[in-house]
Amino acid sequence: MLEKIEKIFKEEKVLSIEDLKEKLNIDSAKEFVELVKHVGKLERKLVITQLPNEKFLYVKEALEIEGVIRLHQKGFAFVYSADLGIEVYIPKGFTQSAMTGDVVLVKVDSVYKDDRNLEGIVQKVLERNTKYTVGTLTNAKFFSFVKSDDKNIVKYIKITNAKNFNLVDGSKVLVEITDYSKVSFEDHKGIIIKSIGHKDDPGVDILSVIYKHNIPNEFPQEVLEQTEKISDEIKLEDKYRDCTNEMVVTIDGDDAKDLDDAISVVKTKKGYRLKVFIADVSRYVTEDSPLDKESANRGCSVYLADRVVPMLPRKLSNNICSLNPHVLRYTICCDIDFNTKGYPESYDIYPAVIKSKGRLTYKKVNEVYADNKETIEEYKEYVPMLKIALELSTKIRANRETRGAIDFDKPESKVVVDENGEVLDIVLRERGISERLIEDFMLSANEVIGEHFYWMQVPFIYRIHEEPKMEKLRQFFDIAASLGYRTKGKIEEIEPYMLANMLRKFKGEVVETMLSTILLRTMNQARYSINNIGHFALATKYYTHFTSPIRRYPDLLVHRMIRTYLFNGDVSDQTIDNFITRLPDLAESSSEYEKRAVDCEREVDRMKKCEYMLKYQEQTFRGIVSSVTNFGVFITLERSNIEGLVHIKAMNDDYYTYDQKNMLLIGRRKKKVYRLGDEVIVKVANVDLENQEIDFKILKHKSLISKK
């Protein structure tokens, strides 16, 4: 049996115990025990080694793998092989000329029994995936060169067409890399594609980040021409239901201009009727038109500190499609009847024309719910409906919590800038009652639409969320159990309600920040897919994105399918085949472009927070430990969500070692422990604008848990 197992490993390279059990057709407990013993023998003989993901890797012979490389700014890298499901550490100096995102061939030359596990060297770059970059130009006597803003491109790019642009030092430029360096002492070569502006000009910093993340920033001429031809005339057509006399309102942020959704709520004999009206964007953006192709290429709108990079031209996003008050607008309505307990009992989906009776804001609706007399007077025509809406929202939320939906109520920060892009303030954006109310109504509509088209058994696009990562989940439960919080049931058979119950158990306790942060990090990223596997965090079997077609391409696709399948009654083989062919790639690209937008938004956020903290060097702040690593602790400041690092080298009161299993830094002599959620007073030691890093020094530390 031992030889047979080794032969299987030689062929497959990576296997779990369960994989082996299946390949060997093992059924009995006795045979399984023998299998485990043989695997142990092979591990002791260094024929195989166990990986962090609990699978075993064949290492008896030299191993070469292909994977995507991810470089760290300090020079080392990791290469991930999707086929084998493993990651290889590449030391500094052994990455060849590879850049993050390149496909490389790696020779694994060391196997460790520690956290790093595998180490190798890059043999060669197989596929380049970085063609364009943004950087700062410097002119020398005989040539010009660009230092890329991308930390992963450490070499300079020698420019061959600088004379064509006649730019001064410090100009920000978009560069195409034409020749990649082949030896360590050689620079890359490239050409300037576009001048973005001087690095010191207002707004150029954010514009540079937009280009760096390859986000389309200007609409092609054919898109603008198509947009110009779109009529802004809106008529009460027969196929649209007339809802212009109903009490319909929008509730959005103060500065929102692209109003996707409006609501109407009334009480009925059986309970409540909620109408969610969503801008009918698919009427204007037709399949394969220039507008459609550009929208798909953008994927979503990107919201930055001083601007929005819209998915659609502003004539559509801020005007024709936006559900502005007191004007006619085409919409698609999800009309849901709820019983008195807040459960949906029936629904209808139809096109409707509305005339919004008011552009309400979250801030003022929250004031209404807080009994602010001035705002109640200002909103008096809306107050009766707002009271009914709150009744229904409260019941919907309670029902969602009962079924086990997980709600990480984590406040986000907002960067406030002036007209020149200078940071005025960083404020926390709280989710008030009105924000939750709109969220409840939008989630309800998304679930109804998702379930309807699932049972129609037609090609569709869903918003899915897979189960948490098992290794991280096990770590969470171990840490929670060590603090006295246990759950019933097997981790391998995890259900959303088990995690929701855990969140409720420690809500309000001193460990809440720590445990909820660890739990949040176990979660997978939600994504788009044509395969409906449900949404784990929302504890629902059916979910899609229907409510934001102005700013998200998948929602526009959903609207197009509603129009095709439902309103036009077209479920022909040709139509089905068309969507079957198109949807998988569009789901994948939409997920990818969503991540691109999030990365861009986070980078601008970090950049502006660094600018803001420049004013506060050497000043002290109160914060909490938000992450613990082997190289130090990250601190998040109260009231601003600004995060910075206390490097382990700056923690000179002791020698600290990292306990990965329990996510702790422990002092060897004094046994001082740093955990997630610990309270600290810190001083701003340094702000590095170029690398977008803030360094803190800890002045006071209050441990979260004593005697643990």
Side-chain angles (χ1 to χ4, degrees), residues 7-15 23 58 83-84:
K7 188 181 177 185
I8 293 170
F9 266 112
K10 189 173 181 178
E11 291 170 359
E12 301 289 337
K13 303 301 184 206
V14 174
L15 291 160
K23 286 185 178 295
Y58 182 70
D83 292 337
L84 300 181

Side-chain angles (χ1 to χ4, degrees), residues 613-660:
M613 292 307 288
L614 273 175
K615 299 182 279 189
Y616 298 102
Q617 294 207 70
E618 296 298 312
Q619 294 196 29
T620 59
F621 294 88
R622 187 180 297 276
I624 63 162
V625 175
S626 52
S627 188
V628 180
T629 70
N630 61 348
F631 55 84
V633 293
F634 284 93
I635 308 296
T636 298
L637 303 185
E638 288 183 352
R639 295 191 295 276
S640 67
N641 257 11
I642 293 173
E643 189 177 65
L645 174 69
V646 180
H647 199 279
I648 201 160
K649 289 177 183 175
M651 300 167 72
N652 48 24
D653 61 325
D654 203 342
Y655 182 84
Y656 288 89
T657 55
Y658 181 52
D659 177 350
Q660 185 184 26

Side-chain angles (χ1 to χ4, degrees), residues 439-458:
E439 181 183 272
D440 292 332
F441 294 164
M442 298 306 119
L443 290 178
S444 296
N446 286 337
E447 288 177 38
V448 164
I449 300 290
E451 182 169 5
H452 181 90
F453 288 94
Y454 175 79
W455 290 113
M456 272 190 80
Q457 297 184 316
V458 288

Side-chain angles (χ1 to χ4, degrees), residues 404-472:
I406 305 163
D407 185 12
F408 293 101
D409 191 10
K410 218 175 174 191
E412 295 179 355
S413 55
K414 181 184 178 182
V415 179
V416 182
V417 296
D418 64 17
E419 62 275 6
N420 294 318
E422 296 289 324
V423 188
L424 299 174
D425 201 3
I426 312 280
V427 295
L428 281 185
R429 224 183 330 217
E430 299 285 348
R431 273 165 73 213
I433 295 172
S434 65
E435 286 92 342
R436 291 169 185 269
L437 177 144
I438 291 298
E439 181 183 272
D440 292 332
F441 294 164
M442 298 306 119
L443 290 178
S444 296
N446 286 337
E447 288 177 38
V448 164
I449 300 290
E451 182 169 5
H452 181 90
F453 288 94
Y454 175 79
W455 290 113
M456 272 190 80
Q457 297 184 316
V458 288
F460 202 64
I461 193 164
Y462 299 93
R463 179 70 167 176
I464 63 167
H465 185 235
E466 288 134 316
E467 289 183 357
K469 301 176 182 78
M470 197 50 63
E471 313 93 77
K472 291 188 176 182

